[in-house]
Every structure is written in structure tokens, then in C-alpha cells.
């Protein structure tokens, strides 16, 4: 019997009024080039629309990109929605200009990792590969 490799599926999202998406697109491309299936939601998303995309795509990873300074409220809301939708097994990552004290709080809330500006994309790829079980 032939086994079929299942690719890791990632949703990359830009919440709120943050229209700067170059970094999110760079990360999305790096993940795709590493063999992952990537769904990019585009800019100006609400936590609810991000959660819908995550559920519809049956993704294992959620990457939230924020440069607007509103990362805490969006991440807190998404952590709540993940719990309410029984998706605590989704690997939740946040990237952007995140102060270290906020990064520590995000990790307390359930965010698996926070990646700041200049993080090599290979580090993000490796983190996902190490933390997502392959089916």
C-alpha cells in the first residue's frame, strides 16, 4: 500500500487596518517553497474571518502578521476563538514588530512563538516542521 505524504497547511493572516503585507507575503512564499500548503487571507481581516479560513482550510498552523501595534487584541481574540472552536492543537504563531514584554504575554496566552523583524524565514520553517506532527 502506498503512503501519501500530507503537506502542512498554514493560514497566514493580516488582521485589522494593517495594510503592510510584504513580510507576510515573504513568509508565505518561504513556507510554500519549503513544501507547505499556504493560504494567505489578504489584508484587513477580522478575527472571525481568520477563524473561518482556518476552519474551512483545516489548517494545522495559523500565522498572524501584525505591524499596526494592535497585535495583543487580535491575538487574544484569536486565542479565545481557537479554544471555543476546539482548535487548541493549531500551532499559533505571531510575527511583526512585537515588543518583548508583549511577546512574553502572547506566549502565556497560548501563542507558540513570536517572530520579529529580520527573523530568517528558515527559522520559521524549521519551527513549524519541528512542532507540527505529520499525519
Amino acid at each position: 500500500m502506498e503512503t501519501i505524504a500530507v503537506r502542512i497547511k498554514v493560514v497566514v493572516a493580516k488582521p485589522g487596518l494593517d495594510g503592510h503585507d510584504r513580510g507576510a507575503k515573504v513568509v508565505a512564499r518561504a513556507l510554500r517553497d519549503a513544501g507547505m500548503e499556504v493560504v494567505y487571507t489578504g489584508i484587513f481581516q477580522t478575527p472571525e474571518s481568520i477563524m473561518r479560513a482556518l476552519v474551512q482550510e483545516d489548517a494545522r498552523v495559523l500565522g498572524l502578521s501584525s505591524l499596526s501595534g494592535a497585535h495583543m487584541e487580535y491575538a487574544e481574540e484569536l486565542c479565545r476563538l481557537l479554544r471555543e472552536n476546539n482548535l487548541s492543537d493549531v500551532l499559533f504563531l505571531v510575527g511583526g514588530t512585537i515588543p518583548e514584554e508583549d511577546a512574553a504575554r502572547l506566549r502565556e496566552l497560548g501563542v507558540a512563538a513570536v517572530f520579529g523583524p529580520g527573523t530568517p524565514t528558515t527559522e520559521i520553517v524549521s519551527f513549524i516542521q519541528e512542532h507540527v506532527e505529520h499525519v
Side-chain angles (χ1 to χ4, degrees):
M1 177 177 237
E2 183 180 331
T3 58
I4 299 172
V6 177
R7 297 190 322 166
I8 298 170
K9 188 178 269 190
V10 182
V11 168
V12 175
K14 290 291 299 180
L17 299 177
D18 182 359
H20 301 282
D21 65 346
R22 187 174 77 186
K25 288 178 177 176
V26 167
V27 169
R29 178 149 190 168
L31 299 178
R32 186 203 66 194
D33 290 350
M36 297 179 201
E37 185 175 345
V38 180
V39 176
Y40 175 57
T41 65
I43 56 177
F44 308 131
Q45 299 299 307
T46 65
E48 292 77 17
S49 67
I50 294 167
M51 187 57 51
R52 267 193 309 278
L54 188 68
V55 169
Q56 288 172 355
E57 295 295 338
D58 194 26
R60 301 286 315 243
V61 181
L62 171 59
L64 188 72
S65 171
S66 180
L67 297 173
S68 68
H71 50 271
M72 288 303 297
E73 70 180 63
Y74 291 117
E76 286 175 353
E77 181 67 8
L78 283 161
C79 284
R80 183 185 67 76
L81 290 169
L82 286 167
R83 283 190 306 276
E84 287 178 3
N85 286 279
N86 296 316
L87 295 172
S88 58
D89 60 336
V90 169
L91 186 70
F92 185 16
L93 310 174
V94 175
T97 51
I98 314 294
E100 184 49 47
E101 61 271 12
D102 288 356
R105 176 71 181 127
L106 289 169
R107 288 188 289 274
E108 289 172 8
L109 291 170
V111 171
V114 178
F115 298 100
T119 300
T121 56
T122 53
E123 184 178 323
I124 300 167
V125 167
S126 294
F127 187 88
I128 293 171
Q129 290 171 335
E130 291 170 13
H131 290 86
V132 174
E133 289 184 30
H134 297 280
V135 178

